[in-house]
Amino acid sequence: MNRIIYIILAVLLLFTACKELDVTRFDEDAKVYFYNYRYRVRGDTLTQQDSSSQSFFNVLGNQNTDTVWVYVFAMGNTESFDRPFGIKQINTDSTYAAVPKTHYVPFDDEYVSRFIRIPANQSHTAIPIILIRDETLLLNEYRLEMSLIDNEYFEVAMDTLARFVVKTADFGTKPDIWDAEWKTFFGDWGSEKMRFLRDYVVGSGFNWEERPIYGTGTYYKTKANSELEKYNASLPDGEVLTEPTGTIVTFPTR
Amino acid sequence: MKKIIFQLFILGFAFFSCVDDKGNYSYKDADDVMPVKIEGLKDTVIAYTLTSLSLKPELIGLENEENYNFFWYTYYSSSIERDTIARTRNLENYIVTLDPKSEPAYYILKYEVHDKRTNLRKYKDIRLFVRSDFSNGWFVLKDENNMTDLDFINEDGEVIPDIIETANGRKLEGEGVKVAFQAQNYDRQELNDEGNLVTVRYSAFHVLSTNDICSFNANSLELFEDKEGYYYEKPDVIKPQNILYQSMGGLFVINDNKISGLYTSMANVGKMDVYKAGEYEIHEDMIFNGSYGYEVMFFDKLTRSFRSVNSYSPNLFTIANPGSSAAVQISPTNMNYDLIRLLSRAVSTNSSYYNAYSIMKEINTGEYVVFETRFSGNGSFPFRGIYNISSSSLLLTSKVMEANRTATYIYFGIDNNLYTHMVTALSDEELQNDGVSREKLAYSFPSDETISYIEHYRRTGTTYDLLILTNSPAGWKLYTFSMIDQTVEFNQSPTAVYTGKGNARHVIYR
């Protein structure tokens, strides 16, 4: 008897588990979302990113702005006219929040606002986040946390894809592929080591997120050792290049 | 029932829609419109790179040649990119510059006859197998009027001069220094058909002159890099002195007394590193640590020290001091000796080390010695014995030396004479008491010839030849002698003598 009751209960549970799924359809109301599938490492699988890091460390010294492009896609049918969408900074009260006009060009700027819209007959656009080189970036990383917001043309599509963060700084940050790729040639990462490599080995604008060809990595390793030897010899009283932590900067010698 | 009738009715229309369309076209035979026939061309042609190719088709039915265009073009495999090589009725003296492909790969050589009046065309496809003429033979590095090139001696003994100039329209500036053949893993970054940068692997020749250093495609002799692009960063001074290559270890180049490496067992871009780090000024001689070695040993003139390095390491290594049981108790670091020559001998049977002779001069006494040397890598202590050389030794007046790889002798040349020098712990007096002379005249070449290069060349396994290059006002000569067993002796009649123009400096066999 019990067995029959259990079976009936299980069948009832089966029905309870089934409910109508609320699927977001692309041909319904106009909605917007951040779409930033990128290669974290070139050659790897594309993955959706919810943030992007930028550093003026790797930007030529006489260049005072740097632009990060953030992609926004629209759902629903296209229209024959431009459709602005809503966007705003949401971390203005936080410590190290990016400050408009100090760390980035605000969204209501005449130039930038031209891009805060889905163009006529299109379903996506890219917003220029124009970052400004400010001396406060030498000390700390600042964050611009932004969110899409509803307006008369678009609703926000999905909470998970409604927010995006751009981080900016002016010091060397550890590349994502350092341990997997660059450590072979340069050893453990350090900010002073990074600065030295930029200034004496690889130059500004170097793409640290690109996997090196082994032969090229060997060339950089040889050059790094050679240049470091010269650099240390130029320092007074037997000083050597050190990290802020006191660790002496060295490169693999074999 | 009504429904079935209706369906059959509709189906009937389907058959009615097919009618016998007789049309009113008139067909002409293609040969009537363009009666030209291409004959006299083979379906398959084999051509060697940098040789000329001429083909003469028979055009049957061609009345007035002015009414036609002629095209010869090539393309490879399924690629649609074609290269027009001639616009003439006959293909005349086309120099084959296509990259050789091993069979079964081939190019299509297409011949096209185009009738300008009717815009009609006739074609003939020829399978063109391109092979390297430089697969096997001697490559003699020579210079004339301070310009360096390679002369090639093919398997038939035919000397093909100036193959670099033939392939590239230019030679290298300066006198010849050395040539090396890199059999594999010379990587280059090239754009593929889709416009993506990809790595393409080649074999390459590296040619050093006193003013230039170049790499060439080993099959087509097409220039890869000259001194402007040979290094990642062009050195301030281009004064190449030596090059060594081994498939496992890679490539080492000494330029202006500094050494650079290219590790070819891993992906690379075919460019030489910057100099190894540190203050040093090395002698141009170097030896590997074994057949599969990736480390070379050389002598730093600044510190009078033997040092070593491998192709991917940035810093020079220090060579170890002697252990307490070592036969020679002299440190290879901060020596009281200058190096005259470091002569490589044979690799050990287990390939784990190289034997060599280090001919050195004591800086205080001026005495000359030979260090019997063995290098097995990892900065290991190298000296096995030390023997005096008499100050009256002819060896010390020679600039052309080569160690016998199997017997304890050094060959050396003075003008047109080839000598041997016995390396032994016995003194000259002891040898004389035994009725043996340390140095002997081994061969005299014609008096107007000067020996410029000697090599005890390992032909196969345990079979060796003696190669001698001589120069005279008439040009260079390459003599090959067969060795008598694994001794210092060789058959006095050369097995071959090849001649060419200019002054020869080095020779290799590929």
Side-chain angles (χ1 to χ4, degrees):
Chain A
M1 183 62 188
N2 278 349
R3 201 171 163 190
I4 293 168
I5 291 170
Y6 280 130
I7 291 170
I8 291 170
L9 200 63
V11 171
L12 281 175
L13 280 174
L14 197 65
F15 282 103
T16 312
C18 301
K19 71 166 193 174
E20 191 181 352
L21 187 62
D22 184 17
V23 178
T24 306
R25 290 165 53 109
F26 273 77
D27 58 354
E28 286 181 342
D29 296 337
K31 295 178 180 178
V32 280
Y33 60 101
F34 285 114
Y35 183 91
N36 286 277
Y37 276 89
R38 294 174 190 196
Y39 294 108
R40 184 159 289 281
V41 176
R42 199 178 78 161
D44 279 355
T45 316
L46 281 167
T47 51
Q48 176 75 263
Q49 308 293 312
D50 58 5
S51 67
S52 178
S53 293
Q54 179 275 352
S55 176
F56 282 98
F57 173 82
N58 212 24
V59 175
L60 292 174
N62 59 357
Q63 187 179 324
N64 289 320
T65 59
D66 192 24
T67 303
V68 172
W69 290 89
V70 176
Y71 293 87
V72 173
F73 274 49
M75 292 177 176
N77 296 323
T78 58
E79 296 291 354
S80 59
F81 51 88
D82 288 358
R83 290 173 293 165
F85 53 84
I87 187 169
K88 68 172 184 179
Q89 184 177 2
I90 56 173
N91 67 327
T92 49
D93 297 332
S94 307
T95 312
Y96 305 130
V99 178
K101 295 187 179 176
T102 301
H103 296 123
Y104 75 100
V105 177
F107 298 128
D108 58 2
D109 170 80
E110 186 187 346
Y111 172 76
V112 175
S113 62
R114 284 187 231 159
F115 295 88
I116 315 288
R117 63 191 63 221
I118 301 294
N121 303 312
Q122 293 187 32
S123 59
H124 64 273
T125 190
I127 315 169
I129 308 298
I130 303 172
L131 300 162
I132 302 167
R133 191 196 290 263
D134 185 75
E135 60 183 19
T136 53
L137 298 176
L138 290 166
L139 299 173
N140 294 296
E141 182 181 75
Y142 283 76
R143 294 165 65 88
L144 168 58
E145 295 181 17
M146 58 190 128
S147 176
L148 297 168
I149 51 175
D150 295 350
N151 70 356
E152 61 184 294
Y153 297 102
F154 293 103
E155 292 175 22
V156 175
M158 289 161 274
D159 289 344
T160 51
L161 297 178
R163 294 182 179 188
F164 196 80
V165 180
V166 174
K167 295 175 273 189
T168 178
D170 197 0
F171 48 83
T173 52
K174 186 177 178 179
D176 291 339
I177 64 167
W178 181 276
D179 288 343
E181 303 288 339
W182 292 109
K183 193 173 178 178
T184 306
F185 306 108
F186 298 136
D188 290 331
W189 182 85
S191 61
E192 266 307 295
K193 180 179 281 187
M194 205 64 182
R195 185 194 62 76
F196 179 83
L197 289 170
R198 179 196 64 185
D199 293 347
Y200 294 92
V201 181
V202 300
S204 293
F206 186 76
N207 185 0
W208 285 101
E209 297 300 344
E210 186 168 342
R211 282 196 175 116
I213 292 170
Y214 191 90
T216 307
T218 303
Y219 149 62
Y220 287 137
K221 179 172 71 171
T222 304
K223 190 175 180 186
N225 272 276
S226 194
E227 293 296 327
L228 182 62
E229 193 173 303
K230 286 186 228 165
Y231 182 86
N232 284 339
S234 72
L235 297 177
D237 305 327
E239 282 181 28
V240 292
L241 183 64
T242 53
E243 296 290 350
T245 56
T247 306
I248 295 172
V249 173
T250 59
F251 297 104
T253 57
R254 291 189 79 99
Chain B
M1 186 60 188
K2 277 182 183 175
K3 198 174 175 183
I4 292 170
I5 291 169
F6 180 73
Q7 283 173 348
L8 285 173
F9 181 71
I10 295 295
L11 193 63
F13 274 108
F15 288 98
F16 276 110
S17 64
C18 301
V19 297
D20 183 16
D21 182 6
K22 295 189 190 320
N24 62 347
Y25 312 111
S26 68
Y27 294 98
K28 286 185 179 176
D29 191 279
D31 289 340
D32 292 341
V33 183
M34 187 174 176
V36 176
K37 280 188 179 174
I38 303 170
E39 302 279 353
L41 291 177
K42 292 177 181 172
D43 293 333
T44 298
V45 169
I46 297 170
Y48 289 89
T49 52
L50 301 186
T51 59
S52 74
L53 177 65
S54 298
L55 296 171
K56 194 172 181 182
E58 282 178 53
L59 296 176
I60 297 164
L62 186 89
E63 292 162 358
N64 186 352
E65 198 171 303
E66 289 181 357
N67 291 330
Y68 296 89
N69 291 318
F70 305 96
F71 300 97
W72 297 86
Y73 49 85
T74 59
Y75 57 92
Y76 177 60
S77 185
S78 57
S79 169
I80 56 167
E81 279 186 38
R82 68 186 198 184
D83 183 18
T84 304
I85 59 173
R87 294 169 185 267
T88 50
R89 173 173 174 164
N90 299 327
L91 184 65
E92 289 169 356
N93 298 319
Y94 161 62
I95 302 295
V96 180
T97 53
L98 297 164
D99 199 25
K101 310 275 184 190
S102 52
E103 288 189 40
Y106 56 84
Y107 293 85
I108 296 290
L109 170 59
K110 194 178 268 287
Y111 180 52
E112 177 182 320
V113 180
H114 170 229
D115 190 330
K116 297 181 207 173
R117 298 160 300 179
T118 61
N119 210 26
L120 293 173
R121 296 157 200 267
K122 283 279 176 73
Y123 300 98
K124 169 69 181 177
D125 282 0
I126 300 165
R127 294 197 302 174
L128 179 62
F129 289 91
V130 177
R131 293 176 185 162
S132 171
D133 199 24
F134 308 118
S135 300
N136 294 103
W138 297 102
F139 292 80
V140 178
L141 181 72
K142 62 87 185 273
D143 52 72
E144 269 182 288
N145 304 318
N146 207 37
M147 299 299 283
T148 292
D149 209 320
L150 289 172
D151 289 349
F152 175 62
I153 305 166
N154 66 20
E155 296 282 76
D156 299 328
E158 182 188 2
V159 179
I160 302 166
D162 302 321
I163 56 175
I164 291 176
E165 186 178 33
T166 305
N168 301 284
R170 56 167 279 196
K171 295 168 183 268
L172 283 76
E173 265 186 40
E175 291 183 357
V177 173
K178 200 167 178 188
V179 56
F181 172 58
Q182 181 181 346
Q184 58 190 3
N185 293 0
Y186 184 83
D187 291 356
R188 290 179 59 78
Q189 298 288 296
E190 296 181 357
L191 289 173
N192 64 9
D193 291 343
E194 285 80 43
N196 298 321
L197 211 53
V198 294
T199 300
V200 183
R201 304 209 121 163
Y202 293 97
S203 54
F205 283 110
H206 298 260
V207 181
L208 282 60
S209 70
T210 49
N211 294 354
D212 205 349
I213 181 163
C214 298
S215 55
F216 298 93
N217 182 320
N219 290 323
S220 67
L221 263 298
E222 178 191 3
L223 179 71
F224 281 144
E225 301 288 354
D226 62 8
K227 62 185 175 186
E228 299 301 326
Y230 192 84
Y231 288 83
Y232 274 102
E233 297 177 22
K234 185 187 170 191
D236 293 337
V237 176
I238 293 292
K239 188 184 160 195
Q241 295 158 297
N242 198 1
I243 185 166
L244 271 189
Y245 168 74
Q246 236 169 220
S247 59
M248 292 291 284
L251 208 57
F252 292 89
V253 167
I254 298 176
N255 177 70
D256 193 29
N257 303 112
K258 300 280 186 187
I259 189 164
S260 306
L262 170 57
Y263 185 47
T264 54
S265 287
M266 298 288 276
N268 62 83
V269 297
K271 284 188 183 288
M272 193 60 60
D273 273 3
V274 290
Y275 294 146
K276 304 295 183 186
E279 284 292 312
Y280 58 85
E281 187 183 327
I282 62 176
H283 187 283
E284 61 267 27
D285 287 338
M286 55 181 162
I287 57 170
F288 265 115
N289 67 319
S291 288
Y292 306 111
Y294 46 83
E295 189 175 338
V296 288
M297 186 176 76
F298 40 81
F299 187 76
D300 174 23
K301 297 189 282 187
L302 272 187
T303 59
R304 290 200 195 89
S305 303
F306 281 92
R307 309 287 298 273
S308 70
V309 76
N310 63 37
S311 50
Y312 52 82
S313 287
N315 291 35
L316 305 190
F317 310 148
T318 301
I319 303 293
N321 282 324
S324 57
S325 61
V328 178
Q329 288 293 320
I330 295 174
S331 169
T333 304
N334 300 322
M335 299 179 77
N336 288 329
Y337 292 89
D338 281 328
L339 180 71
I340 308 301
R341 291 297 309 271
L342 174 59
L343 303 173
S344 180
R345 300 190 62 222
V347 71
S348 63
T349 48
N350 65 359
S351 304
S352 63
Y353 59 82
Y354 256 98
N355 287 319
Y357 292 135
S358 305
I359 301 173
M360 307 194 79
K361 182 182 182 182
E362 221 281 349
I363 57 171
N364 299 312
T365 63
E367 289 176 346
Y368 289 88
V369 295
V370 176
F371 282 92
E372 191 181 341
T373 305
R374 171 180 293 180
F375 185 54
S376 57
N378 293 318
S380 56
F381 178 70
F383 301 143
R384 316 280 297 175
I386 179 169
Y387 315 123
N388 291 320
I389 303 177
S390 159
S391 59
S392 62
S393 167
L394 285 174
L395 176 70
L396 302 175
T397 64
S398 172
K399 291 180 179 172
V400 186
M401 301 179 193
E402 165 78 347
N404 183 298
R405 288 162 195 263
T406 52
T408 56
Y409 286 86
I410 296 169
Y411 296 104
F412 62 96
I414 298 175
D415 300 329
N416 62 319
N417 292 320
L418 178 71
Y419 296 89
T420 60
H421 176 102
M422 183 194 294
V423 181
T424 169
L426 297 172
S427 68
D428 287 358
E429 278 184 3
E430 288 171 312
L431 288 173
Q432 279 166 8
N433 291 339
D434 291 343
V436 176
S437 228
R438 186 183 294 278
E439 293 181 343
K440 280 186 189 171
L441 178 65
Y443 195 89
S444 284
F445 295 92
S447 59
D448 63 340
E449 295 180 21
T450 302
I451 297 170
S452 64
Y453 180 75
I454 307 166
E455 182 171 337
H456 190 215
Y457 170 73
R458 185 181 185 182
R459 179 150 42 99
T460 56
T462 56
T463 309
Y464 286 80
D465 288 333
L466 191 64
L467 313 177
I468 308 287
L469 284 173
T470 68
N471 294 322
S472 73
W476 60 260
K477 282 187 185 174
L478 168 62
Y479 295 86
T480 64
F481 298 92
S482 58
M483 299 300 301
I484 299 172
D485 300 325
Q486 294 196 3
T487 67
V488 70
E489 304 295 334
F490 55 90
N491 289 306
Q492 293 284 300
S493 298
T495 48
V497 181
Y498 307 100
T499 61
K501 288 185 177 173
N503 295 306
R505 311 294 178 182
H506 187 217
V507 60
I508 59 169
Y509 185 84
R510 177 197 176 186

